[in-house]
Amino acid sequence: MTMSHSETEIMLKGYGLTTAELLYRMPDHSQILQSFIWQHYDLAPKFPELKAFLDFWERNLEGPLHSVRFVHRKLIRPNEWARVDGEIVLH
């Protein structure tokens, strides 16, 4: 996803807001779990942005992932937009 587009343009292309909670183990104290919240626009059902972030995490960060929970919501659906021609005049 390119960031040169506005959020509305991105949503009209089918992207929805994905929020993920990652639980990971502390590198020095593996019995302790930490929580990290990640939020980004992504495409369901393949979630390429989330997968890319998880790949980045696995390659670059020392805290091994314990679990990932996520939700996804399309904020704009095609049937919610309709072109309307008209004028409203207020006195």
Side-chain angles (χ1 to χ4, degrees):
M1 174 178 62
T2 62
M3 297 311 292
S4 62
H5 299 292
S6 73
E7 288 185 9
T8 303
E9 289 172 321
I10 291 168
M11 288 185 281
L12 287 173
K13 290 182 179 187
Y15 284 80
L17 192 60
T18 300
T19 304
E21 178 188 29
L22 290 75
L23 291 180
Y24 64 96
R25 297 190 183 278
M26 295 290 293
D28 296 335
H29 304 283
S30 62
Q31 69 277 14
I32 299 175
L33 291 176
Q34 286 283 104
S35 176
F36 179 83
I37 302 296
W38 175 90
Q39 192 171 59
H40 205 357
Y41 290 104
D42 210 349
L43 284 169
K46 294 190 177 190
F47 300 101
E49 302 292 329
L50 177 58
K51 287 180 181 177
F53 179 74
L54 294 175
D55 288 343
F56 169 83
W57 184 291
E58 291 287 326
R59 281 190 321 273
N60 298 298
L61 301 179
E62 292 182 21
L65 289 172
H66 173 269
S67 60
V68 177
R69 295 187 310 169
F70 67 94
V71 294
H72 177 80
R73 175 78 174 152
K74 277 192 165 185
L75 302 175
I76 296 177
R77 295 183 198 103
N79 63 350
E80 292 180 314
W81 285 84
R83 182 168 183 240
V84 178
D85 291 323
E87 183 177 347
I88 297 175
V89 178
L90 301 174
H91 299 282

